[in-house]
Amino acid sequence: MMTSFFDQFASPSFLGIPLIAVAIALPWVLFPTPSSRWLNNRLITLQTWFINRFTNQLLLPLNTGGHKWALLFASLMVFLITINMLGLLPYTFTPTTQLSLNMGLAVPLWLATVIIGMRNQPTVALGHLLPEGTPIPLIPVLIIIETISLFIRPLALGVRLTANLTAGHLLIQLIATAVFVLLPMMPTVAILTAAVLFLLTLLEVAVAMIQAYVFVLLLSLYLQENV
């Protein structure tokens, strides 16, 4: 029983072909495309309003050089939200529960922010490794600690997204299993457990959106330090 709880996180395959590529590409098919008409429909209008509000809020603390990342951040945000939300549907696979995928997104983007900082302002970028006013005996220790914390950032990005989504899916499956087990024996308790399951599902919808926003927000903060 315990192993079956974790089967939902295994990458599905068909005839030996992994289907994670299909799960990653599917959200792009669902996005509405802008039309050539002067007036758009409600869905496209809502999507445009959401992307504009998110981009303005995210790029507010960044200078003009960081605004070049607007398209990348907005696309990544919508992509992660769509994948996370589709993963809450029954009999679906959530690619963002795979640490390899999240690290594949986090490491190149984090490395790009570091390279930009080293190329544009190397003195300021290296200055983050040593806070101002540090006592001389603590300088070597603080440089080592700040360097380690710098390289832990992409790992924290990937692990945070993976752990939150994995924990939520496990809780939903555990409580759903408890509802089916308790229904023949204690219907009242099963109904109360089903109410808890409904509230947890609503919480997971919020977590799916919040974690996508936090992922992109932290990337924008890393970019802010280097532009």
Side-chain angles (χ1 to χ4, degrees):
M1 176 64 71
M2 294 305 296
T3 56
S4 64
F5 286 155
F6 292 92
D7 287 344
Q8 60 176 321
F9 304 117
S11 179
S13 60
F14 180 71
L15 298 178
I17 302 175
L19 299 180
I20 187 172
V22 178
I24 294 174
L26 181 61
W28 300 111
V29 182
L30 302 178
F31 297 149
T33 56
S35 64
S36 58
R37 300 177 180 178
W38 287 4
L39 296 178
N40 294 322
N41 57 30
R42 293 184 178 89
L43 183 58
I44 296 179
T45 303
L46 182 63
Q47 174 183 288
T48 305
W49 175 84
F50 168 75
I51 292 177
N52 289 337
R53 292 292 299 174
F54 163 74
T55 306
N56 292 335
Q57 182 69 26
L58 191 66
L59 301 181
L60 190 62
L62 297 178
N63 56 21
T64 307
H67 292 178
K68 300 176 183 178
W69 290 60
L71 180 60
L72 176 62
F73 283 159
S75 302
L76 181 61
M77 171 75 173
V78 175
F79 176 68
L80 289 178
I81 286 181
T82 309
I83 282 184
N84 295 345
M85 297 292 287
L86 289 177
L88 294 176
L89 297 175
Y91 302 104
T92 56
F93 171 68
T94 311
T96 44
T97 57
Q98 304 294 313
L99 183 61
S100 57
L101 174 65
N102 297 332
M103 292 300 294
L105 293 174
V107 172
L109 294 174
W110 164 82
L111 187 61
T113 61
V114 174
I115 292 176
I116 287 176
M118 292 295 184
R119 186 188 65 179
N120 295 340
Q121 42 184 10
T123 304
V124 177
L126 294 176
H128 292 303
L129 302 179
L130 184 63
E132 187 177 357
T134 304
I136 296 179
L138 296 179
I139 288 179
V141 178
L142 279 180
I143 291 178
I144 296 174
I145 293 175
E146 291 296 330
T147 304
I148 294 175
S149 67
L150 177 65
F151 284 96
I152 284 179
R153 285 179 175 181
L155 181 63
L157 277 177
V159 170
R160 180 186 294 106
L161 184 58
T162 304
N164 281 281
L165 295 178
T166 303
H169 284 65
L170 280 177
L171 280 176
I172 289 178
Q173 186 169 1
L174 285 171
I175 297 178
T177 304
V179 171
F180 282 107
V181 171
L182 293 174
L183 191 58
M185 298 181 295
M186 294 177 286
T188 305
V189 178
I191 293 174
L192 294 176
T193 309
V196 174
L197 177 62
F198 175 73
L199 296 177
L200 180 62
T201 305
L202 294 180
L203 178 63
E204 280 304 306
V205 171
V207 168
M209 294 185 289
I210 291 173
Q211 288 303 317
Y213 175 74
V214 168
F215 189 90
V216 180
L217 178 64
L218 290 177
L219 282 175
S220 69
L221 293 178
Y222 300 158
L223 180 65
Q224 182 182 355
E225 295 180 357
N226 295 284
V227 295

